């Protein structure tokens, strides 16, 4: 057909002339041009593949980057390849009469492909050298005491004699802090081309370590190669530069060759520094050892004042870690963290370091959890305190150097005269005095002041309008627990103010405009008397912390304010039925940075509405919810719910997810055992349960032979159980017709029973096997209790019974006036982990049947962790093992502490119905009366202890 067509075109060309001849030429060339287009496209594709291979090698091996014009060329080639290939597929079967029309298009595409082939030569090369990475400055702390160590390491880095340096010391001593400071200094030096910081993972992973080092060099290693091949590639990269590699927190030995780090020598001018707690690791790697030692006393004090700031910790006062960390955040000593959780983690790390340097001491304090109509409840939790000698030295010798003026608890009625002032003070604390007024002359003296604390001056009611006129540098203002009724208008001039604390200012009715305080981050109005929110609060766009809890006169937060506070991390509000604040719940849900929500609800209906509608809050870092009328609350754990004055059973409570801590406070809250109520059906994460002042509950768990598998899965996860002042409670677990072992409380670690006057036996025999994880048993003032382990029925047997508590560390029995035995007469208690035994006010108890561990030679010895046994009179027959312990001086039968004497006095006073004033025993302080009617023994005891520590703080200066 083509030959016939060709003959026809030849004849026509003779007849029709030139136009027909041109068409004939295009027809004849079409096949040739299509073939040429295919060949050029194949060449272009091959050229593209070659260039991509060269680029891959350059990027992975030599740390180079592709030129932008090469990137553009590759993209264009890809587009052209797709277009031309589609065109060739289209013309492959085209009719002969259409070929002449397509000839021109084929020629144009040939020209395009030819042009791209020519452009792909790249005479200047495919890649360019990567720009040097910007110097990375690591956030660090000011060095105190480590200066000489830093200078020693710096000398080795700048010299030629040492290539490997090992920085050793105990955890928290400051190794990483020193090296961070040196890292930043090295970034400003020209001696080294690369300064690399790598935190070594534990356990050591060579693949990950290679990746981190290469990444710090701005390189990428092949992911699919063996470790040794990657080591060869990394070594080639590192040999091309003069470097310092800092390997932080190395726990185990390794080979530099296996990783790909060339040996640092004088010839190459490179250095490697490792930090480790193990001197053996540093020695194995042939390092020059530099030991970091704990701070001296003076250095520790300077670190403390640099860290803690104004040093207003009271003498012998045990404070909560949360309280201290919050003050550090307020002072800006912990800043730069994106979340409050991260700031708290940093705070805990600092406290641990201060304790390791013996600047702070670990202690416990009575943490008052809730003050309700039923009383104040709480028990000991972890805290810290500062030794009085250390504190006095800090205040006298170092505080003035930092511009701190501390006049705490000195019964001042007016501010100190000019002779008592520090020149240009930066921080001023006058808390816990009786100051009546702030003089007009205060402001000129305080132009450099950044922190002013006037809290706990209960009669301070007026502050002059000019007070803050010249305090333009003020950042922290604390007027908590004062009688101020309004704040002066001059507060609006404090544009640098970041923290305003007005907690428990119950007479405060009006707060002047805050519209100019755009830098304010914390506003604490907890328990204040304000009737309306401060004017301009919606303009506080930097606000991170807002507490409006327990403000009885505040009825409304105007709609539209909360969404403007987009940086809020902590929010505390009341959602009561008689207020309109409940309308703000939907606005609260829009606060995307909110981590912690504390909220009080008037009743179950409001609470259920909140939990059902706003489930997103259940993934918050922390929450604390109160249902009912509570006057105050102090956070104890991260996910907690308090139910007070609400009858459980009539209305179902929808529990939030992740609930860990449940408080049930009030007369008829619980009418049946916990496993018989629907309250805990979905509390899958519950770890702690507290029952206070329950007048109806008779037992915590009630089981009979019909109970499925004789277990309660929810209660089986409990780690702490506390029951206080529940008069009808007679047993923890009630078993009827059951003789097999029970499977409840198998994870229980702490058991607290306070003032449950109906209990006669603490632990049923069937429950013991489940209590393998029990660590603490604290029983106090249960005056009818007769036996700890209900096993007196076994006395008729001739066998010896052994009751084992493998993890029990602390056993305290206080004022159990009817306690006759701890277990059956022929029984012994094995608790080899025991650390402390305290038995006080148990006059009927005659025998302590503790069996101590047996040595290889057959002799009995006190448990390895035993530190203290305190027993007061009445114990006539101990076990043989305790007699051995007594002979070794472990048992202390001396008079017990002031707290115990005070508790005994309160118990006896309550039993006899006497209303008296209780005076403190002799201490170094004057004896002072503390007259309070005895209404609740536990409450009185807590108040007395708090009073003692407060007075020591106030008069110890």
């Amino acid at each position: 057909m083509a030959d016939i067509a060709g003959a026809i075109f030849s004849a026509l060309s003779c007849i029709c002339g030139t136009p027909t001849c041109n068409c004939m030429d295009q027809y004849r060339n079409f096949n040739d041009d299509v073939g040429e287009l295919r060949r050029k496209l194949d060449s272009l594709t091959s050229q593209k593949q070659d260039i991509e291979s060269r680029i891959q090698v350059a990027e992975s091996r030599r740390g180079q980057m592709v030129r932008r014009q090469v990137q553009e060329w590759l993209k264009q080639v890809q587009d052209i390849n797709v277009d031309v290939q589609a065109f060739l597929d289209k013309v492959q079967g085209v009719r002969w009469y259409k070929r002449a029309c397509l000839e021109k298009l084929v020629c144009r595409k040939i020209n395009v492909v030819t042009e791209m082939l020519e452009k792909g030569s790249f005479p200047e090369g495919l890649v360019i050298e990567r720009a040097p990475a910007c110097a990375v400055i690591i956030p660090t702390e000011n060095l105190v005491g480590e200066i000489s160590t830093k200078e020693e390491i710096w000398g080795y880095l700048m010299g030629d004699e040492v290539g490997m340096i090992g920085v050793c010391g105990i955890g928290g001593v400051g190794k990483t802090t020193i090296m961070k400071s040196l890292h930043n200094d090295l970034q400003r030096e020209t001696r080294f081309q690369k300064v690399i910081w790598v935190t070594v993972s534990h356990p050591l992973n060579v693949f990950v370590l290679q990746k981190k080092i290469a990444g710090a060099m701005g390189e990428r290693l092949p992911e699919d190669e063996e470790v040794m091949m990657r080591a060869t590639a990394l070594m080639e990269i590192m040999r091309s530069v003069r470097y310092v590699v800092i390997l932080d927190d190395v726990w185990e030995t390794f080979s530099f060759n296996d990783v790909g780090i060339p040996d640092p020598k004088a010839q190459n001018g490179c250095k490697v520094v490792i930090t480790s707690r193990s001197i053996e690791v540093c020695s194995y790697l042939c390092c020059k050892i530099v030991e970091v030692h704990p701070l001296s006393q003076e250095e520790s004090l300077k670190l403390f004042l640099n860290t803690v700031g104004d040093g207003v910790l009271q003498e012998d006062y045990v404070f909560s870690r949360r309280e201290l960390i919050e003050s550090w955040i307020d002072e800006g000593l912990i800043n730069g963290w994106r979340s409050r959780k991260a700031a708290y983690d940093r705070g805990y790390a600092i406290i641990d370091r201060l304790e390791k340097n013996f600047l702070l001491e670990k202690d416990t304090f009575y943490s008052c959890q809730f003050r309700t109509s039923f009383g104040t409840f709480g028990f000991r939790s972890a805290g810290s305190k500062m030794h009085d000698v250390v504190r006095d030295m800090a205040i006298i010798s170092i505080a003035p150097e930092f511009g701190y003026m501390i006049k705490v608890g000195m019964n001042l009625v007016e501010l100190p005269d000019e002779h008592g002032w520090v020149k240009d003070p930066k921080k001023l604390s006058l808390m816990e005095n009786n100051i009546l007024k702030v003089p007009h002359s205060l402001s000129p003296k305080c132009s450099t002041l950044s922190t002013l604390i006037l809290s706990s001056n209960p009669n301070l009611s007026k502050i002059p309008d000019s007070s803050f006129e010249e305090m333009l540098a003020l950042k922290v203002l604390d007027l908590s627990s004062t009688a101020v009724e309004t704040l002066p208008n001059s507060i609006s001039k404090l544009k640098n103010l970041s923290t305003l604390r007005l907690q428990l200012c119950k007479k405060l009715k009006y707060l002047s405009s805050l519209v100019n305080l755009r830098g304010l981050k914390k506003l604490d109005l907890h328990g204040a008397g304000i009737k309306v929110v401060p004017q301009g609060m919606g303009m506080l766009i930097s606000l991170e912390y807002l507490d409006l809890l327990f403000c009885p006169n505040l009825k409304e937060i105007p709609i539209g304010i909360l969404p403007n506070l987009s940086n809020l991390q902590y929010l505390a509000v009341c959602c009561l039925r008689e207020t309109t604040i409940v309308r703000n719940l939907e606005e609260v849900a829009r606060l995307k940075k909110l981590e912690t929500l504390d909220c009080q609800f008037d009743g179950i209906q409001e609470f259920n509405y909140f939990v059902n509608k706003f489930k997103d809050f259940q993934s918050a870092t922390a929450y604390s919810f109160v249902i009912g009328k509570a006057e105050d609350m102090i956070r104890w754990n991260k996910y907690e719910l308090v139910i007070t004055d609400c009858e459980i059973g009539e209305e179902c409570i929808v529990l939030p997810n992740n609930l860990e801590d449940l408080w049930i406070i009030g007369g008829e809250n619980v009418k049946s055992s916990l496993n018989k109520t629907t309250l805990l059906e979905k509390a899958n994460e519950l770890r702690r349960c507290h029952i206070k002042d329950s007048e109806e509950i008779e037992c915590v768990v009630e089981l009979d032979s019909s109970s499925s598998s004789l277990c309660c899965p929810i209660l089986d996860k409990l780690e702490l159980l506390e029951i206080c002042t529940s008069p009808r409670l007679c047993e923890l677990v009630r078993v009827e017709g059951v003789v097999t072992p029970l499977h409840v409380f198998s994870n229980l670690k702490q058991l607290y029973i306070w003032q449950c006057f109906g209990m006669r036996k603490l632990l049923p025999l069937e429950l013991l096997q489940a209590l393998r994880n029990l660590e603490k048993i604290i029983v106090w003032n249960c005056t009818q209790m007769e036996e700890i382990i209900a096993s007196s029925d076994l006395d008729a047997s001739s066998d010896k019974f052994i009751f084992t508590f493998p993890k029990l560390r602390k056993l305290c029995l206080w004022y159990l006036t009817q306690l006759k035995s701890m277990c059956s007469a022929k029984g012994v208690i094995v608790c080899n982990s025991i650390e402390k035994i305290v038995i006080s006010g148990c006059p009927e108890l005659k025998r302590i049947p503790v069996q101590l561990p047996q040595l290889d030679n057959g002799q009995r010895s006190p448990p390895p962790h035993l530190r203290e046994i305190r027993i007061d009179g009445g114990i006539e027959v101990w076990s043989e093992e305790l007699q051995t312990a007594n002979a070794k001086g472990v048992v202390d039968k001396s008079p017990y502490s002031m707290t115990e004497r005070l508790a005994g006095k309160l118990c006896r006073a309550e039993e006899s119905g006497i209303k008296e004033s209780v005076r403190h025993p002799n201490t170094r302080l004057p004896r002072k009366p503390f007259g309070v009617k005895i209404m609740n023994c536990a409450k009185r005891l807590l108040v007395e202890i708090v009073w003692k520590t407060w007075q020591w703080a106030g008069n110890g200066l």
Side-chain angles (χ1 to χ4, degrees):
M1 179 63 70
D3 294 337
I4 297 174
I8 294 174
F9 272 109
S10 297
L12 288 175
S13 63
C14 296
I15 300 172
C16 301
T18 302
T20 304
C21 290
N22 292 338
C23 289
M24 284 296 299
D25 291 339
Q26 293 172 355
Y27 173 79
R28 292 190 186 99
N29 295 335
F30 180 79
N31 287 338
D32 296 336
D33 291 343
V34 169
E36 178 68 12
L37 179 59
R38 288 187 187 277
R39 287 190 294 274
K40 286 187 177 293
L41 183 62
D42 291 341
S43 298
L44 183 62
T45 302
S46 299
Q47 186 180 28
K48 175 177 177 288
Q49 292 172 349
D50 290 342
I51 288 175
E52 287 175 337
S53 298
R54 290 160 59 193
I55 287 173
Q56 185 176 3
V57 172
E59 283 187 321
S60 62
R61 300 283 186 181
R62 290 193 286 272
Q64 297 171 324
M65 61 183 297
V66 184
R67 292 178 180 274
R68 288 196 176 184
Q69 64 189 72
V70 177
Q71 294 175 350
E72 282 295 322
W73 182 85
L74 289 171
K75 184 177 183 301
Q76 292 176 12
V77 169
Q78 180 65 26
D79 295 340
I80 289 171
N81 194 309
V82 173
D83 178 65
V84 172
Q85 192 61 52
F87 174 76
L88 290 174
D89 293 342
K90 182 178 180 180
V91 302
Q92 184 174 1
V94 70
R95 297 284 185 177
W96 62 267
Y97 54 83
K98 293 183 179 180
R99 292 183 178 184
C101 301
L102 295 174
E103 171 64 17
K104 292 183 179 180
L105 185 56
V106 173
C107 292
R108 285 200 297 269
K109 293 190 179 295
I110 291 175
N111 292 336
V112 170
V113 174
T114 302
E115 182 181 0
M116 294 306 295
L117 282 167
E118 293 173 352
K119 288 182 177 180
S121 59
F122 298 111
E124 296 180 356
L126 302 176
V127 294
I128 59 175
E129 294 293 332
R130 291 181 183 272
C134 297
V136 178
I137 303 299
I138 302 177
T140 188
E141 307 161 11
N142 294 329
L143 294 181
V144 177
E146 303 103 335
I147 301 299
S148 60
T149 306
K150 177 184 174 182
E151 290 175 349
E152 180 183 358
I153 300 171
W154 182 260
Y156 295 139
L157 289 170
M158 295 297 107
D160 296 328
E161 298 177 357
V162 177
M164 289 284 302
I165 306 166
V167 183
C168 303
I170 63 174
V173 77
K175 304 181 296 294
T176 300
T177 301
I178 292 172
M179 291 315 304
K180 283 181 178 180
S181 179
L182 282 168
H183 171 276
N184 295 343
D185 292 343
L186 287 169
Q187 295 287 10
R188 293 182 279 271
E189 281 289 325
T190 58
R191 180 185 180 92
F192 302 100
Q193 296 169 290
K194 289 284 185 181
V195 181
I196 302 166
W197 179 284
V198 176
T199 300
V200 181
S201 59
H202 180 66
L204 177 68
N205 186 315
V206 174
F207 190 93
V208 173
L209 182 56
Q210 290 174 334
K211 184 176 181 179
K212 288 181 177 180
I213 295 174
M217 295 281 290
E219 309 289 349
R220 288 187 300 178
L221 297 176
E223 296 286 338
D224 55 349
E225 289 188 359
E226 295 292 333
V227 169
M228 292 309 298
M229 295 298 296
R230 288 163 55 88
T232 302
L234 181 60
M235 195 167 291
E236 180 183 345
I237 294 169
M238 297 191 71
R239 280 175 176 156
S240 63
V241 296
R242 186 183 295 111
Y243 60 81
V244 176
V245 175
I246 302 172
L247 302 177
D248 185 45
D249 200 21
V250 178
W251 286 74
E252 54 191 287
T253 60
F254 62 94
S255 169
F256 281 3
N257 288 331
D258 291 347
V259 176
I261 303 174
D263 289 336
K265 300 177 181 178
Q267 293 86 340
N268 57 28
C270 299
K271 306 284 182 179
V272 175
V273 186
I274 71 170
T275 72
S276 177
R277 300 185 184 188
S278 171
I279 196 169
E280 289 80 10
V281 169
C282 296
S283 299
Y284 177 88
L285 296 173
C286 302
C287 296
K288 174 66 177 179
I289 305 296
V290 178
E291 292 192 53
V292 182
H293 300 285
L295 301 180
S296 67
Q297 187 80 341
E298 183 178 355
E299 291 166 344
S300 297
L301 289 171
K302 287 185 177 180
L303 171 64
F304 180 79
L305 287 180
N306 267 331
T307 306
V308 179
D310 51 21
V312 296
L313 297 178
Q314 297 102 318
E315 182 180 4
D316 287 326
Y317 172 68
V318 183
F319 53 88
S320 73
R321 293 184 167 197
R322 172 184 169 84
E323 173 188 353
L324 183 57
I325 293 173
E326 276 295 330
S327 69
W328 287 346
I329 295 174
D330 295 346
E331 294 281 352
L333 300 169
I334 301 179
N335 56 19
W337 302 93
R338 293 186 176 182
S339 68
R340 211 164 193 85
K341 180 182 182 300
Y344 263 74
D345 291 341
R346 177 59 181 155
Y348 288 128
I350 292 174
I351 292 175
D352 289 340
R353 184 178 181 191
L354 292 172
E355 289 176 346
K356 288 176 181 177
N357 283 281
F358 306 105
L359 184 62
L360 294 180
E361 302 174 11
K362 291 183 179 180
D363 209 324
T364 58
F365 69 102
Y366 276 97
S367 53
C368 296
Q369 304 306 315
F370 303 96
R371 291 188 287 274
T372 71
S373 57
F374 299 98
T376 301
F377 304 106
F379 51 90
R380 286 196 175 274
S381 59
S384 301
K385 72 174 182 179
M386 188 178 187
H387 194 277
D388 54 352
V389 175
V390 178
R391 181 179 183 275
D392 290 344
M393 187 181 299
I395 293 176
I396 295 171
S397 62
I398 298 178
E401 178 184 339
F402 288 87
Y404 298 159
M405 181 175 169
I406 304 171
K407 305 288 184 181
V408 176
M410 299 178 68
N411 293 320
L412 299 177
V413 295
E414 59 183 18
L415 268 64
D417 57 25
E418 294 187 4
H419 298 289
W421 279 83
V422 174
K423 183 179 179 181
D424 298 327
K426 293 182 175 61
K427 299 180 187 292
L428 172 61
S429 178
L430 298 169
M431 63 185 295
E432 295 184 358
N433 286 292
N434 292 312
I435 296 173
L436 302 178
K437 62 180 181 178
V438 175
H440 293 274
S441 60
L442 176 64
S443 185
K445 296 179 181 178
C446 300
S447 59
T448 60
L449 201 65
S450 65
T451 299
L452 175 60
I453 300 178
L454 291 168
S455 60
S456 299
N457 282 276
N459 297 315
L460 178 61
S461 58
K462 292 185 178 180
I463 301 177
D465 287 339
S466 60
S467 295
F468 304 120
E469 289 284 351
E470 299 186 29
M471 295 188 191
L472 302 183
L474 197 64
K475 294 182 179 179
V476 177
L477 175 60
D478 189 350
L479 296 170
S480 300
S481 299
T482 61
V484 293
E485 298 178 2
T486 184
L487 293 186
N489 293 327
S490 58
I491 196 174
S492 63
K493 297 186 177 182
L494 304 179
K495 296 184 178 180
N496 291 312
L497 194 68
S498 61
T499 297
L500 178 58
R501 295 195 290 257
L502 298 166
Q503 190 178 100
L504 298 176
C505 292
K506 297 182 178 181
K507 294 185 178 181
L508 181 66
K509 306 301 181 185
Y510 171 75
L511 196 58
S512 53
S513 175
L514 305 179
V515 68
N516 291 329
L517 306 184
R518 301 295 179 89
L520 195 67
K521 294 184 177 181
K522 181 173 186 176
L523 178 59
D524 190 346
L525 289 162
H526 186 105
I530 59 170
K531 296 181 178 180
V532 295
V533 298
Q535 183 182 354
M537 192 172 79
M539 305 294 289
L540 304 179
I541 56 176
S542 300
L543 202 64
E544 298 175 356
Y545 184 109
L546 176 61
D547 191 341
L548 296 172
L549 262 182
F550 305 113
C551 298
N553 301 322
L554 182 64
K555 303 300 181 184
E556 180 183 17
I557 300 177
I559 298 297
I561 287 183
L562 289 179
N564 292 337
L565 310 180
S566 58
N567 287 305
L568 270 186
Q569 298 172 349
Y570 174 89
L571 175 63
V573 293
C574 294
C575 296
L576 304 182
R577 189 175 296 123
E578 66 268 17
T579 72
T580 58
I581 297 181
V582 72
R583 296 186 305 171
N584 300 104
L585 290 177
E586 295 187 10
E587 294 187 340
V588 172
R590 291 155 57 185
L591 299 173
K592 301 303 180 183
K593 294 185 179 181
L594 192 64
E595 299 178 38
T596 304
L597 176 64
D598 290 352
C599 197
Q600 180 191 9
F601 298 87
D602 201 34
I604 296 175
Q605 182 178 355
E606 289 80 10
F607 177 75
N608 287 349
Y609 170 80
F610 173 82
V611 174
N612 284 323
K613 191 171 181 62
F614 305 112
K615 296 185 182 296
D616 289 343
F617 279 123
Q618 300 173 30
S619 61
T621 301
Y623 60 73
S624 181
F625 299 142
V626 175
I627 305 176
K629 299 292 186 181
E631 297 175 10
D632 197 3
M633 66 179 178
I634 301 176
R635 173 175 302 284
W636 173 252
N637 286 300
K638 290 172 61 175
Y639 304 103
E640 62 187 10
L641 170 63
V642 181
I643 305 172
T644 177
D645 287 329
C646 300
E647 188 170 315
I648 298 173
E650 292 186 358
E651 192 172 357
C652 181
I653 299 178
V654 181
L655 296 180
N657 293 339
N658 304 325
L659 179 65
E660 295 180 356
D661 211 312
L662 176 64
W663 297 73
I664 303 173
I665 304 174
E668 298 183 355
N669 276 352
V670 181
K671 292 189 174 182
S672 61
S673 58
L674 293 184
N675 65 316
K676 298 289 186 178
T677 180
T678 60
L679 176 65
L680 302 183
E681 283 183 356
K682 297 183 179 180
N684 297 320
E685 302 298 326
L686 189 65
R687 294 295 180 267
R688 291 165 292 273
C689 182
H690 315 259
I691 301 175
K692 314 278 191 181
D693 280 282
S694 177
E695 298 177 0
E696 298 292 331
I697 188 169
E698 296 181 1
C699 63
V700 178
V701 178
E702 186 175 0
L703 298 173
D704 53 39
S705 57
S706 64
S707 301
S708 60
S709 70
L710 300 176
C711 65
C712 182
I714 299 300
L715 294 178
D716 192 44
K717 295 181 180 180
L718 274 185
E719 296 178 0
L720 182 150
L721 176 63
E722 179 194 14
I723 306 177
C724 175
T725 322
S726 299
R728 297 188 63 180
L729 183 74
C730 55
E731 48 196 335
L732 286 181
V733 179
R734 176 175 294 169
V735 290
E736 297 180 0
V738 178
V739 294
T740 58
L742 304 177
H743 300 283
V744 293
F745 300 130
S746 60
N747 284 298
L748 193 66
K749 295 180 180 179
Q750 301 180 57
L751 176 63
Y752 299 86
I753 306 294
W754 297 6
Q755 296 195 135
C756 295
F757 303 115
M759 290 196 74
R760 296 183 180 275
K761 302 179 186 294
L762 181 64
L763 303 174
L765 190 62
E766 298 84 356
L767 185 63
L768 295 188
Q769 186 172 336
L771 300 177
R772 309 290 292 181
N773 292 304
L774 195 60
E775 298 177 4
K776 290 184 180 180
I777 300 177
I778 312 293
V779 187
W780 181 64
N781 198 27
C782 296
T783 55
Q784 299 301 315
M785 187 168 292
E786 300 175 352
E787 195 172 19
I788 301 300
I789 300 174
S791 55
S792 57
D793 295 341
L794 303 176
D795 289 342
S797 174
S798 59
D799 297 330
K800 181 179 180 180
F801 297 95
I802 299 177
F803 308 107
T804 304
F805 296 91
K807 297 184 179 181
L808 188 66
R809 296 187 295 108
K810 187 174 183 179
L811 174 64
C812 297
L813 306 176
W814 281 317
Y815 309 108
L816 311 182
T817 55
Q818 300 300 317
L819 184 65
K820 296 179 175 60
S821 65
M822 296 180 66
C823 63
S824 64
K826 297 182 180 180
V828 292
I829 299 174
V830 177
C831 46
N832 292 340
S833 299
I834 196 72
E835 298 175 5
K836 183 175 183 178
I837 299 176
V838 178
I839 300 177
S840 178
C842 305
E844 300 296 323
L845 184 63
K846 305 301 181 184
R847 177 174 177 265
I848 304 177
V850 176
Q851 176 175 295
L852 302 183
Q854 186 173 359
L855 301 177
D856 294 337
N857 59 8
Q859 297 294 320
R860 295 288 182 180
S861 174
H865 305 289
L866 184 62
R867 297 292 179 265
E868 181 181 11
I869 301 179
R870 290 195 294 162
I871 304 171
D872 67 342
I875 310 297
E876 298 175 357
V877 181
W878 301 349
S879 66
E880 177 185 349
E881 291 78 11
L882 278 181
Q883 294 180 30
T884 301
N886 182 47
K888 296 190 176 185
V890 177
V891 178
D892 174 19
K893 297 185 70 177
S894 60
Y896 35 92
S897 67
M898 185 201 76
T899 301
E900 292 169 330
R901 293 200 303 272
L902 179 59
K905 188 171 184 179
L906 290 173
C907 289
R908 292 190 297 273
E910 183 170 1
E911 289 174 359
S912 61
I914 299 174
K915 299 179 180 179
E916 64 176 33
S917 295
V918 181
R919 294 180 180 270
H920 281 279
N922 275 327
T923 64
R924 61 187 177 85
L925 304 177
R927 296 164 64 94
K928 295 187 178 182
F930 187 70
V932 178
K933 292 183 178 180
I934 299 180
M935 304 204 35
N936 181 296
C937 188
K939 180 178 178 180
R940 284 290 307 275
L941 175 60
L942 292 175
V943 172
E944 287 286 321
I945 293 171
V946 172
W947 185 89
K948 177 182 77 69
T949 56
W950 183 85
Q951 286 295 326
W952 280 5
N955 294 277
L957 296 174

